[in-house]
Amino acid sequence: GNSVTQMEGPVTLSEEAFLTINCTYTATGYPSLFWYVQYPGEGLQLLLKATKADDKGSNKGFEATYRKETTSFHLEKGSVQVSDSAVYFCALIANDYKLSFGAGTTVTVRA
Amino acid sequence: NAGVMQNPRHLVRRRGQEARLRCSPMKGHSHVYWYRQLPEEGLKFMVYLQKENIIDESGMPKERFSAEFPKEGPSILRIQQVVRGDSAAYFCASSGARSTGELFFGEGSRLTVL
């Protein structure tokens, strides 16, 4: 079956620090990969996506590259802000409409 | 706010009671998905509905759980005779067509069973 494993949190950083959240996956076929973010008091929202190997998704200064050889989709941001404090979920979809999610990583950025 | 609306945000029930969770999809969306997040776990697919139809309920427990999406009104996730293991966050999402992964989520309903 499909599964997603992501870095356990919580992660606490200072403003302007570099953020990496690791995500690896197992899937049948050729999945599309996603990062969703949940800000405090809000629903999950799509942050970025990649639909095929070597694609790079990017949004709001975040990036993730679809690495088929390592089955990974690590999320990175070069300089985080307090407003990036949220829970980040790695997810995939393969051949149907069901998203498979990782457990989520809580990120707290301190001023 | 034209986003996905879920209520209640928090619900407390005693064992054996019923829980009803409601979800109004984003305006113009006719596809609704329910996901459950147990403590320390990722969101897990429960059910996919279109107006008046259950398309896929393969993620729903066989007993006590049911879902509907009537022609008028919100989608309802109903849990009968709740047990402590039902305590979780229940997320609803919607899309304008069958999802390819891009979903719009509500804030979730957190059910606590005492």
Side-chain angles (χ1 to χ4, degrees), chain A residues 34 36 38 41-44 46 49 89 93 95-99 101-103, chain B residues 35 37 41-43 45 48 56 58 91 98-103 105-107:
Chain A
F34 305 83
Y36 275 82
Q38 185 178 27
E42 300 182 14
L44 280 75
L46 180 64
K49 69 173 184 178
F89 295 90
I93 198 166
N95 305 317
D96 66 8
Y97 40 75
K98 301 174 192 174
L99 280 163
F101 284 89
Chain B
Y35 284 78
Q37 185 180 29
E41 296 186 17
L43 283 74
F45 170 83
Y48 165 30
D56 181 349
S58 59
F91 290 91
R98 178 175 138 149
S99 172
T100 55
E102 297 185 47
L103 292 178
F105 281 84
E107 296 174 27

Side-chain angles (χ1 to χ4, degrees), chain A residues 55-73:
Chain A
D55 267 4
K56 178 186 283 188
S58 61
N59 186 23
K60 298 183 180 181
F62 289 89
E63 292 184 340
T65 301
Y66 189 142
R67 301 284 187 202
K68 187 179 177 184
E69 63 275 14
T70 54
T71 61
S72 65
F73 193 54

